[in-house]
Structures are given as C-alpha cells and as structure tokens.
C-alpha cells in the first residue's frame, strides 16, 4: 500500500493540531511513550482526537504554568506529532495512553481555540538528505559505530540489556536508530530537545555515540562492581 494516504492525513492534521505541552518530555519519531491523562482539558482533547485522526502535537514546555495568573507557558518551537496507538479510559474518566512519534514538526503559529486546550498549525521537518555519496558512507559508518556502542552498553547493564539490543536491532535506518536510542537512553530534556532539533542524521548519531560512551563509563564494564 502506498504511503501517500497517511502522509496526506498528516498534512491535513498539521493545519489544526491539538497541542499537549509537557515538562521534561520530548517525543521522537519512531519511538513510543506512555502518558497518563488526568486534567479535564486534556481528557477532552483525548476524546476529540480519538474521534478524529488520533494525532496530537507534543512539545517541551519551557516554563512553569500558573493557572492563577492565567499565563500561557512557552513551548519549544520544534515538536513532534504523536499518534495515539493505545488509549485506555479509566472509570473516572482519566486515560492511560501509548503515543507513537510520527514526525518532527515546526510550530508555525498558535491558533485561536474555542476548546479548553491549545491548537497550532505546523509543518513537517524531515531529516537532511546526504548531499553526496561520501556523506551517506559516513552516516552508515556512524550507524554501525552506534550499534556497536549500544551493544557494549547492553553487556554492561545488569537488567534490560537484551531488550536494548533488540530495540537497536529492530531499527532499519540510521535515522530511526538515532531517534529510538535517544528516546531510550538520554534522560536530560535539554539534550533530548537538541537531538530532536538536529536534522543532520550524521550529527545526531555522533552526539548519541558520545552519550552512550559516557553512559557506559558510568555504569562500568561487565563484571565490575558499580
């Protein structure tokens, strides 16, 4: 089946997309995150998107929200579109969700909203294609290097190593590998946001290789007490 249909669906959705600002959360394409929805305005958002295209924008919230002062907190201009792939409504109206990253976007503007949640218009930001063959070779080599480093890290951790190997092996492109490893291993929200904004795949792989090296040094080598 052609990918044109989901691409058109995404393009239509970007013209009027519900915005879910989250502190310390950055969603990457190809990755999944669990969310627990309890505020009334976001319960309404979930009900609305479940009844339409199941797509929302998730953006890093850059400042605290003060309900009393009625301020609208700033969000990062580079965000992600997430698809609600699993939604469990609880008896009291809360939701447990699993959200899959579909695409990286740039927020163009915030729209007037008659809903309790914010609405935006945005456009997709693809990764930069390699300009020449040598750049693709560099990306492929960086991909292999990151896979090797992740395998070494997996051998160093007492729990979850096999799952980490499986997650890395399941990614069939350098871009997907970078995004999923970033989602799995990078905890700092500022670094995660920087990685999301990095459209050069080689640069993203290099940053992640350095992060994995540092993480491996922290957890120690196999057989060494931590």
């Amino acid at each position: 089946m052609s990918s044109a249909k989901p691409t058109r669906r995404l393009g239509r959705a970007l013209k009027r997309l519900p915005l879910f600002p989250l502190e310390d959360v950055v969603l990457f394409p190809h990755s999944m995150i669990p969310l627990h929805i309890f505020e009334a305005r976001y319960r309404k958002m979930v009900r609305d998107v479940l009844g339409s295209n199941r797509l929302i924008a998730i953006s890093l919230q850059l400042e605290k929200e003060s309900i009393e002062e009625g301020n609208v907190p700033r969000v990062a201009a580079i965000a992600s579109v997430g698809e609600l792939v699993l939604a469990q409504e609880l008896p009291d109206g809360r939701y447990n969700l699993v959200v899959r990253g579909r695409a990286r976007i740039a927020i163009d503007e915030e729209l007037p909203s008659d809903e309790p949640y914010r609405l935006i218009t945005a456009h997709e930001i693809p990764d930069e294609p390699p300009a020449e063959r040598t750049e693709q070779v560099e990306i492929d080599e960086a991909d292999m290097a990151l896979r090797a480093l992740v395998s070494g890290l997996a051998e160093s951790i007492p729990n979850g190593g096999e799952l980490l190997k499986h997650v890395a092996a399941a990614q069939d492109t350098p871009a997907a590998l970078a995004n999923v490893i970033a989602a799995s291993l990078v905890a700092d929200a500022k670094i995660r946001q920087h990685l999301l904004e990095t459209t050069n795949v080689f640069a993203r792989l290099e940053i992640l290789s350095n992060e994995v090296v540092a993480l491996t040094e922290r957890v120690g080598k196999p057989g060494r007490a931590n």
Side-chain angles (χ1 to χ4, degrees):
M1 180 180 293
S2 169
S3 63
K5 186 174 181 180
T7 299
R8 286 198 299 269
R9 182 167 71 100
L10 177 60
R12 289 194 299 268
L14 292 180
K15 296 177 181 178
R16 188 177 185 271
L17 195 62
L19 174 66
F20 192 13
L22 287 168
E23 294 184 49
D24 299 323
V25 175
V26 177
L27 175 65
F28 292 91
H30 310 288
S31 70
M32 295 192 186
I33 57 172
L35 294 175
H36 178 67
I37 308 299
F38 57 90
E39 290 188 53
R41 54 180 167 169
Y42 295 126
R43 295 187 202 181
K44 173 65 162 55
M45 180 189 72
V46 170
R47 290 195 297 270
D48 290 348
V49 300
L50 287 175
S52 58
N53 54 32
R54 304 179 74 95
L55 299 175
I56 59 174
I58 292 181
S59 183
L60 181 65
Q61 186 171 305
L62 300 177
E63 58 190 11
K64 294 287 185 181
E65 181 175 18
S66 174
I67 302 297
E68 294 78 11
E69 296 176 6
N71 74 313
V72 178
R74 292 182 304 112
V75 297
I78 305 301
S80 290
V81 175
E83 179 178 8
L84 277 57
V85 295
L86 180 65
Q88 177 192 29
E89 184 174 7
L90 302 177
D92 61 1
R94 293 174 296 132
Y95 284 91
N96 289 326
L97 305 177
V98 175
V99 182
R100 177 175 60 198
R102 282 283 308 276
R104 174 178 49 221
I105 57 172
I107 298 174
D108 296 320
E109 64 176 321
E110 188 155 344
L111 301 173
S113 177
D114 54 2
E115 301 291 350
Y117 49 85
R118 298 160 70 177
L119 296 168
I120 61 164
T121 181
H123 65 274
E124 186 175 356
I125 304 178
D127 282 323
E128 299 172 19
E132 53 190 35
R133 175 61 186 167
T134 55
E135 289 188 13
Q136 185 60 59
V137 171
E138 289 179 340
I139 290 172
D140 292 340
E141 290 176 347
D143 174 279
M144 290 187 291
L146 179 57
R147 290 178 189 274
L149 289 169
V150 168
S151 179
L153 173 62
E155 295 294 335
S156 302
I157 56 180
N159 298 304
E162 288 303 314
L163 177 60
L164 180 58
K165 288 181 182 179
H166 175 75
V167 167
Q171 310 313 312
D172 58 1
T173 68
L177 175 70
N179 288 335
V180 171
I181 295 304
S184 302
L185 298 180
V186 178
D188 187 279
K190 290 183 179 179
I191 298 175
R192 289 168 67 92
Q193 182 65 27
H194 175 61
L195 286 163
L196 179 67
E197 295 176 4
T198 302
T199 57
N200 184 288
V201 177
F202 176 76
R204 202 154 73 241
L205 291 165
E206 288 284 280
I207 294 169
L208 281 163
S209 288
N210 291 332
E211 289 291 320
V212 173
V213 167
L215 184 56
T216 303
E217 290 176 351
R218 289 199 296 272
V219 301
K221 295 180 180 179
R224 195 176 86 181
N226 295 321

